[in-house]
Amino acid sequence: MKDTENNVKNKIEEFVKRVEDKTNEALEDSLMDEDAKTENYNIDYTDIVKNSVKARMSKLPWLIAIFLILVITIILCMMFFSNNPKTLFTQTVDGLFDYLESNVNENVYDITDGNFSLAYTIKSNDENKDLYEELSKINFSADYVRNNSSGMSFIDLKTTYAGEDFVSANLYSDGVSTYVYVPTVSENYIKLRDNRLSYFVNGNDVKIILDGVNQAIDTVIADEKVYGDKENIDEDGEVIKSYRTKLVIDRKNRNRVAENFINTLKANDEFTEVLSKMKGVSVSDIKSSLDNYLSDLKDELGRHNKLEISLYVDNKTKAFVKAEAVSELGNISFNKKDDKYSYIISKTSDRTLATGEVSFTVNKNKTKYTYNLYYKKTKDNEVLTESNFDLKYTSKQASKFDRIDVSNSTDLNNMSDLEKIGIYTKIMADPNLSKFLPIIRKVV
């Protein structure tokens, strides 16, 4: 036993000695002796540099390969997501809202002025046929000035009836109340029951509203399954190869869709603040109204039972082609062709069909707008209603706003019966104005 221990000990000592010898040899080789210090070595540093460049160049193919792999991976990911039905659906929705927002002038000046004109024709076969015929003879035009910082507005309104001067009126808001002055009816301004000119829409607020609705729709899409397939569309004999993305809303997801949409709007502070200004109420009132509307939206989606919303884009360019909503209550389609949009609305309940066209133009500075709307409603190929509206609107920066003296105005809320009879008598004395007495009663 002892001999064995001695043998092990001797072997360990021999191993240590061999390691020490090898270490000493390595150190001796690595150090220069005195003779080596005096040697004259002709070192060519150019060779070292060349070797270094060559070493680096040898790695270049690998770097290029890695770079190409990354690029290909990114392209494949982009192709996957761009062809993903949910991504295409969202992009199409965003594109439509971007188109609307791009034509809105978001500049909010302290004072703006401009003018607008409205011409229209309405034909109908219902009990209001004669009234619509008379209304179609009236054209509206107005100049306006708006103090955006104080909420004050002034509108100089003029109308023509069958091409001749008809009624002129001034509408004025001091930021608190709204007043109307009609020379043929009253000698003084009349203070209306509520502040009907309390809010005058501006481009920035319009964009906030559009953004809010866009975000709410995107939130809905994010939580839902979207289907996709290729489909050819026949547009007036022209076949368009398109890709359809479809969102289905039924009993399984209608509550989630409604809640996501409304809750996203409620959580958008800018959206609720703009609505509160438009309605002249508090933000909390707006949120309460949205809560109340949630149940209405769920009920409406329930009425449709199964609602399929489809968006069609060009299969190559991904440009918007058509939008369609289909349910057991009817169908709605919205088509784009050139710079115009056509629509078809069919209702199964009364078997009516509404068709029409919408178009609008805007100048480069976004200060002049022209809108046109054509609408026709038929049943069993019989025309029930047909109308056409042309609206022109301008808006630009102004330098001043002139206040109106309304100290002698008459408060409609405190107007005596005798004063009201006097106004109605003047209206009835005008053979043209008397035809619109039912409408005037609703306005005042």
Side-chain angles (χ1 to χ4, degrees):
M1 183 71 178
K2 193 170 181 179
D3 293 338
T4 303
E5 291 178 355
N6 290 331
N7 291 333
V8 171
K9 183 179 179 181
N10 293 332
K11 290 181 179 180
I12 292 175
E13 290 177 352
E14 290 177 1
F15 174 77
V16 171
K17 189 175 185 306
R18 286 198 301 271
V19 171
E20 289 177 347
D21 293 341
K22 293 294 183 181
T23 302
N24 290 331
E25 291 176 3
L27 288 172
E28 289 175 359
D29 291 340
S30 64
L31 296 175
M32 289 182 117
D33 56 20
E34 293 299 323
D35 294 334
K37 292 179 181 178
T38 61
E39 292 284 347
N40 184 19
Y41 289 95
N42 186 16
I43 301 174
D44 189 353
Y45 291 100
T46 304
D47 292 339
I48 297 176
V49 174
K50 288 181 179 178
N51 290 336
S52 178
V53 172
K54 186 182 294 183
R56 288 199 299 268
M57 291 297 292
S58 65
K59 298 177 182 179
L60 187 58
W62 290 101
L63 294 175
I64 294 175
I66 293 172
F67 176 75
L68 290 176
I69 291 173
L70 288 174
V71 170
I72 293 172
T73 302
I74 293 172
I75 292 174
L76 289 175
C77 289
M78 291 178 64
M79 289 176 62
F80 171 78
F81 286 110
S82 64
N83 290 312
N84 181 278
K86 181 178 291 189
T87 303
L88 280 174
F89 196 97
T90 304
Q91 288 176 345
T92 305
V93 170
D94 293 346
L96 291 173
F97 277 94
D98 287 342
Y99 172 73
L100 294 175
E101 291 185 32
S102 66
N103 289 295
V104 175
N105 188 343
E106 67 274 17
N107 293 326
V108 181
Y109 303 112
D110 289 338
I111 301 175
T112 55
D113 67 7
N115 55 70
F116 65 84
S117 62
L118 174 64
Y120 56 89
T121 57
I122 305 175
K123 299 178 182 179
S124 176
N125 291 326
D126 61 17
E127 64 275 8
N128 295 317
K129 176 181 178 180
D130 294 337
L131 178 60
Y132 290 143
E133 185 177 347
E134 292 299 321
L135 283 172
S136 298
K137 298 177 182 179
I138 301 177
N139 288 344
F140 294 84
S141 63
D143 295 322
Y144 73 88
V145 184
R146 167 73 176 175
N147 189 322
N148 296 297
S149 58
S150 64
M152 295 187 294
S153 304
F154 177 78
I155 300 177
D156 182 14
L157 177 66
K158 293 181 174 60
T159 63
T160 59
Y161 179 84
E164 298 182 359
D165 291 343
F166 184 35
V167 177
S168 297
N170 291 337
L171 288 89
Y172 173 70
S173 173
D174 59 4
V176 178
S177 302
T178 298
Y179 305 82
V180 60
Y181 171 62
V182 184
T184 57
V185 172
S186 175
E187 296 179 354
N188 300 317
Y189 273 88
I190 299 175
K191 182 180 179 180
L192 301 181
R193 290 192 177 96
D194 55 27
N195 190 9
R196 297 180 182 272
L197 293 181
S198 59
Y199 179 77
F200 207 93
V201 66
N202 63 64
N204 188 53
D205 289 346
V206 170
K207 295 192 73 170
I208 290 175
I209 294 294
L210 291 174
D211 279 336
V213 176
N214 188 7
Q215 291 174 16
I217 295 175
D218 286 349
T219 301
V220 169
I221 300 170
D223 277 356
E224 305 303 325
K225 181 174 178 59
V226 177
Y227 305 88
D229 58 5
K230 294 181 180 180
E231 183 173 321
N232 293 337
I233 299 177
D234 189 346
E235 292 288 345
D236 298 329
E238 179 184 358
V239 177
I240 300 176
K241 294 182 179 181
S242 69
Y243 188 85
R244 179 181 69 162
T245 54
K246 182 175 67 175
L247 171 66
V248 179
I249 303 175
D250 54 21
R251 61 180 181 82
K252 297 179 182 179
N253 65 341
R254 69 171 65 106
N255 287 345
R256 182 174 63 244
V257 167
E259 289 167 2
N260 280 342
F261 183 77
I262 296 299
N263 290 336
T264 303
L265 294 179
K266 281 178 56 181
N268 190 326
D269 293 336
E270 287 187 313
F271 179 84
T272 54
E273 286 173 4
V274 169
L275 282 185
S276 70
K277 288 193 299 182
M278 294 177 66
K279 294 289 186 178
V281 297
S282 66
V283 172
S284 60
D285 289 335
I286 293 297
K287 292 185 177 181
S288 296
S289 297
L290 289 172
D291 283 332
N292 295 332
Y293 183 70
L294 176 58
S295 59
D296 294 336
L297 181 57
K298 289 181 179 179
D299 292 341
E300 181 62 25
L301 292 176
R303 288 180 59 245
H304 288 271
N305 190 25
K306 181 180 180 181
L307 177 62
E308 297 183 356
I309 301 174
S310 300
L311 299 178
Y312 298 79
V313 297
D314 188 283
N315 198 34
K316 290 184 178 179
T317 65
K318 298 299 185 289
F320 173 77
V321 175
K322 177 182 177 181
E324 187 177 54
V326 179
S327 79
E328 61 185 31
L329 298 183
N331 302 341
I332 300 175
S333 67
F334 192 70
N335 297 47
K336 181 180 185 299
K337 187 173 183 180
D338 298 328
D339 294 329
K340 294 183 178 181
Y341 294 86
S342 60
Y343 62 89
I344 300 174
I345 304 173
S346 63
K347 295 175 63 177
T348 56
S349 58
D350 58 4
R351 304 191 317 279
T352 59
L353 181 68
T355 59
E357 193 173 75
V358 182
S359 65
F360 75 93
T361 59
V362 57
N363 68 338
K364 183 178 180 180
N365 296 326
K366 301 178 185 178
T367 57
K368 296 181 180 180
Y369 298 82
T370 301
Y371 302 86
N372 177 263
L373 170 64
Y374 172 73
Y375 172 84
K376 182 170 70 172
K377 185 177 181 180
T378 61
K379 182 177 181 180
D380 299 330
N381 295 324
E382 179 185 357
V383 178
L384 302 179
T385 304
E386 187 174 12
S387 57
N388 192 77
F389 295 85
D390 287 298
L391 173 64
K392 295 180 181 179
Y393 169 79
T394 66
S395 177
K396 63 182 186 301
Q397 185 177 14
S399 58
K400 66 176 182 175
F401 181 91
D402 295 327
R403 294 175 179 267
I404 303 297
D405 182 8
V406 291
S407 57
N408 294 327
S409 64
T410 303
D411 192 337
L412 188 61
N413 292 318
N414 301 324
M415 188 177 293
S416 66
D417 292 339
L418 185 61
E419 289 175 315
K420 292 180 181 179
I421 291 173
I423 291 177
Y424 290 144
T425 300
K426 291 180 179 180
I427 294 174
M428 295 300 294
D430 189 314
N432 291 326
L433 194 58
S434 61
K435 299 174 183 178
F436 309 104
L437 186 59
I439 298 177
I440 296 172
R441 284 173 177 168
K442 293 180 180 180
V443 173
V444 300

